[in-house]
Amino acid sequence: MSIWVSNETRLLVQGITGTEGRFHALGCRDYGTEVVAGVTPGKGGQDVEGIPVFDSVSEARTETGCNATMIFVPPPFAADAVMEAADAGIELIVCITEGIPVNDMLKVRAFMDDSDSRLVGPNCPGVITPGQAKIGIMPGHIHTPGNVGVVSRSGTLTYEAVWQLSNVGLGQSSCVGIGGDPINGTNFIDVLSAFAADDETDGVVMIGEIGGTAEEEAAAWIQAERDAGRFDKPVVGFVAGRTAPPGRRMGHAGAIVAGGKGGAEDKMRTMRECGLHVVESPGEMGATMAKALG
Amino acid sequence: MKIHEYQAKEILRSHGVPTPRGRVTSDVADVPEICREFGGRCVVKAQIHAGGRGKGGGVKLANSPEEAGRLAGEILGMQLVTHQTGPGGQEVRTVLIEEAVDIDRELYLAITLDRAARKPMIMASLQGGMDIEEVAEKDPDAIVRQHFDPHLGLLPFQARSITDGLRLEGTTARQAQKLISHLAKAYMATDASLAEINPLLITGDGDVIALDAKMNFDDNAMFRHRDIADMRDLHEENPLEVRASEYHLNYIKLDGNIACMVNGAGLAMGTMDIIKLYGGEPANFLDVGGSASQEAVKNAFQILVDDPAVEAVLINIFGGIARTDRIARGVVGAIQELGDVTLPVVVRLEGTNVEQGRQILADADFDFIVATDMDDAAKKVVAAAGGDS
């Protein structure tokens, strides 16, 4: 199985004629993803290495039957691109763009309240199901197919986790980067519930960072599901940023300790109290999962 | 992004929020005349970005134009130390001279984003002048909270629920409702991340005005607010951070002696954490970007070694899309270009083509300390910096 991305995925790339969009559209295709269309308004009729470009998402949807999209549109226009994809009924929307204003994301969330589409990101590396398909900018070849799910707010720290897992002989079912922005589409709990329901996921690595309360909410959810007998997979957790000074944004727009809230220590404590295997060192994610899975 | 109090008040006034009359100056000679204009009594307020200015001696009441001049002379040029500036303080370069107003009560009012609710939230309390964090800890019930829909704006009944919570009545309540609505509009219109009025003042006549004001903004939205972006004051930022921002590097200066250069924000935080875990102190946060190009590595390295506190450098790069061998060449090239690097440099490269990458480091003219994984890298750099690991 795996979650959300598979060899059934038919991928659209919004912003495909830009440098990044083109590079990663081809990267996804090289990995094995079926990339069926691109969209850049005003450039319909062109093609990128054989991938047809359309003016609008609905046109691309009608013509190619794409069921997922990867967005590289620049920040001022990215929110519109997400809403256009949702309006066209694209099932999975992965927004890579970094730097979208918070107020634009609030608009996106309101627009998507009645939508069946799932948004992953923004400001994320994307989603990969090793051996099948990837939607995103992650290096595909470090991944190996297997049974550990990964969910993370950070890009390179996810690659680090994947690398460590692969090195201890643990492959991955799917890896989902939910992004480093304060307002995003998919949160930890969404991904954890999908992993809980996935027969091929035996354990989950969850990587959080400072800012907000998403880690605490996810930890409480895990405990509640476990108590209800619905979730018995081990979860290895790490939270980046325990050395971050309060009030400063650590690279990611969402990574900030504000008003004494959102600190790494509090998050790690809550995660530990809720039964997660919390690692103190980010160098121990893979080994700890190996131990947890016995 | 942060701005000064006087700038926040300009923005708020333009949205209909009443404030005391005031003028800003960097010249002591102007001050007595401004004070006279305001009737001979005024408040002299240091303009720095940090909070806690009053307690640090940066806000003083003057009872005459002469006293105003004398106080402004003391405040201008001083290194103002507050709980937010660090021990070195921040130099005061401008002062805001405001008319003295008659105070009956001080309240607290602010708007910020509630991430969990995905809505802006108004917070108000009867404890004006106190930090909201302190109130939240000591007397959480004293805080009135009200979310509003960012697209509908603050509705009148929501504004009334806040003034009811603040036990305001009559024209004072109506004035406060109007002020809160204007503040909500200003918050949304400017893509603010924080709009704080502390204290919100009730005068002896029952009028409501913003005695102090603080606004922070969403950096990602500054492309559509040139006027606000232009208010950025580089004097208020760390010079190394200013330089890093010119190179589009994400750099934050910290107090330790181990510099780190990492690709990706999450891994950069993780690297700081692991240094600390092994008994070291990170000198900075630095994300050189996912691809870690030679140009970016060189610029970053220059900034790291220009920090006099730095005694060792840790480069931790995960080569994903950008291959590790190419990154290794970039690191070696950057060090050669810089020439006189004498600090110990620990490098941990991981990812694609890692063997070739490590070979390039081993063959280089420079004596890199090569580490095999993050734990190893952290231990080695702490030792190289003379730490206690």
Side-chain angles (χ1 to χ4, degrees), chain A residues 110-257:
Chain A
F111 185 86
M112 289 184 72
D113 264 353
D114 302 323
S115 159
D116 291 329
S117 301
R118 162 170 304 287
L119 169 65
V120 176
N123 190 12
C124 77
V127 186
I128 183 169
T129 294
Q132 296 193 39
K134 73 161 190 165
I135 302 180
I137 59 174
M138 69 288 284
H141 52 86
I142 63 168
H143 298 76
T144 46
N147 302 93
V148 176
V150 179
V151 57
S152 169
R153 277 170 68 185
S154 136
T156 41
L157 204 48
T158 314
Y159 311 160
E160 177 73 40
V162 165
W163 183 259
Q164 289 177 23
L165 287 169
S166 293
N167 280 347
V168 294
L170 293 172
Q172 305 87 44
S173 52
S174 296
C175 306
V176 184
I178 59 172
D181 277 6
I183 304 292
N184 58 10
T186 291
N187 61 31
F188 282 120
I189 296 175
D190 299 323
V191 185
L192 289 165
S193 1
F195 280 138
D198 178 32
D199 292 340
E200 292 185 359
T201 299
D202 297 336
V204 181
V205 174
M206 171 180 149
I207 302 169
E209 60 189 35
I210 52 165
T213 51
E215 290 79 4
E216 288 91 329
E217 286 153 29
W221 181 90
I222 289 169
Q223 188 170 39
E225 289 296 293
R226 191 157 295 169
D227 290 349
R230 287 190 293 256
F231 188 72
D232 58 356
K233 305 174 182 184
V235 180
V236 170
F238 175 71
V239 178
R242 66 202 300 183
T243 47
R248 301 298 307 266
R249 243 163 251 284
M250 307 303 284
H252 288 154
I256 180 167
V257 179

Side-chain angles (χ1 to χ4, degrees), chain B residues 99-115:
Chain B
E99 65 179 327
V101 282
D102 154 36
I103 300 173
D104 177 40
R105 264 176 301 159
E106 294 185 339
L107 308 174
Y108 175 94
L109 177 67
I111 306 180
T112 188
L113 174 71
D114 180 350
R115 290 161 67 147

Side-chain angles (χ1 to χ4, degrees), chain B residues 56-338:
Chain B
V59 179
K60 298 257 167 83
L61 174 70
N63 285 308
S64 71
E66 295 69 34
E67 193 184 1
R70 185 173 55 75
L71 291 172
E74 284 167 21
I75 292 172
L76 273 168
M78 80 187 277
Q79 287 294 125
L80 181 52
V81 180
T82 82
H83 66 291
Q84 289 182 1
T85 58
Q90 178 67 37
E91 187 191 353
V92 181
R93 304 169 57 90
T94 45
V95 287
L96 173 64
I97 311 297
E98 275 189 347
E99 65 179 327
V101 282
D102 154 36
I103 300 173
D104 177 40
R105 264 176 301 159
E106 294 185 339
L107 308 174
Y108 175 94
L109 177 67
I111 306 180
T112 188
L113 174 71
D114 180 350
R115 290 161 67 147
R118 292 194 292 266
K119 283 189 172 124
M121 177 174 70
I122 297 181
M123 286 183 291
S125 101
L126 294 164
Q127 318 281 341
M130 263 169 86
D131 276 352
I132 193 74
E133 290 86 357
E134 204 180 326
V135 180
E137 204 171 287
K138 289 188 185 148
D139 191 8
D141 294 339
I143 300 175
V144 184
R145 290 185 172 83
Q146 176 69 54
H147 290 94
F148 66 92
D149 184 292
H151 314 294
L152 297 175
L154 182 74
L155 301 170
F157 78 88
Q158 294 169 328
R160 289 198 299 274
S161 89
I162 299 163
T163 55
D164 286 350
L166 293 174
R167 293 177 229 147
L168 300 177
E169 289 171 345
T171 49
T172 302
R174 283 193 293 280
Q175 277 191 32
Q177 287 152 19
K178 226 164 138 184
L179 184 148
I180 296 166
S181 303
H182 291 319
L183 184 68
K185 278 186 192 137
Y187 175 88
M188 290 307 302
T190 57
D191 281 289
S193 54
L194 173 73
E196 183 183 69
I197 299 179
N198 187 24
L200 175 72
L201 195 75
I202 314 289
T203 68
D205 298 331
D207 291 332
V208 185
I209 58 171
L211 192 62
D212 198 355
K214 177 175 172 183
M215 289 186 88
N216 295 348
F217 302 93
D218 178 0
D219 291 334
N220 289 341
M222 287 302 97
F223 67 85
R224 58 189 175 209
H225 300 287
R226 278 321 327 167
D227 51 337
I228 296 170
D230 287 343
M231 292 179 178
R232 183 175 172 198
D233 182 351
L234 297 181
H235 294 294
E236 293 287 329
E237 299 175 30
N238 180 289
L240 290 172
E241 291 182 13
V242 173
R243 242 173 72 202
S245 74
E246 284 163 12
Y247 295 132
H248 304 287
L249 294 167
N250 257 318
Y251 170 89
I252 292 172
K253 172 89 179 79
L254 302 171
D255 297 331
N257 59 349
I258 298 175
C260 33
M261 184 194 313
V262 188
N263 63 336
L267 192 59
M269 276 188 272
T271 304
M272 287 161 40
D273 296 348
I274 204 169
I275 288 171
K276 179 95 175 173
L277 191 65
Y278 285 108
E281 286 290 339
N284 64 281
F285 165 92
L286 173 63
D287 170 12
V288 282
S291 64
S293 70
Q294 176 164 335
E295 188 64 15
V297 169
K298 190 189 78 186
N299 292 334
F301 208 94
Q302 189 65 63
I303 287 166
L304 296 186
V305 299
D306 282 355
D307 175 357
V310 167
E311 292 177 276
V313 179
L314 171 55
I315 301 178
N316 182 15
I317 307 273
F318 194 97
I321 295 292
R323 301 283 188 265
T324 309
D325 49 336
R326 222 191 66 199
I327 292 167
R329 258 181 231 113
V331 170
V332 172
I335 290 203
Q336 276 167 350
E337 221 175 304
L338 294 171

Side-chain angles (χ1 to χ4, degrees), chain A residues 67-82:
Chain A
N67 55 18
T69 180
M70 171 167 79
I71 297 178
F72 283 96
V73 173
F77 318 107
D80 184 58
V82 173

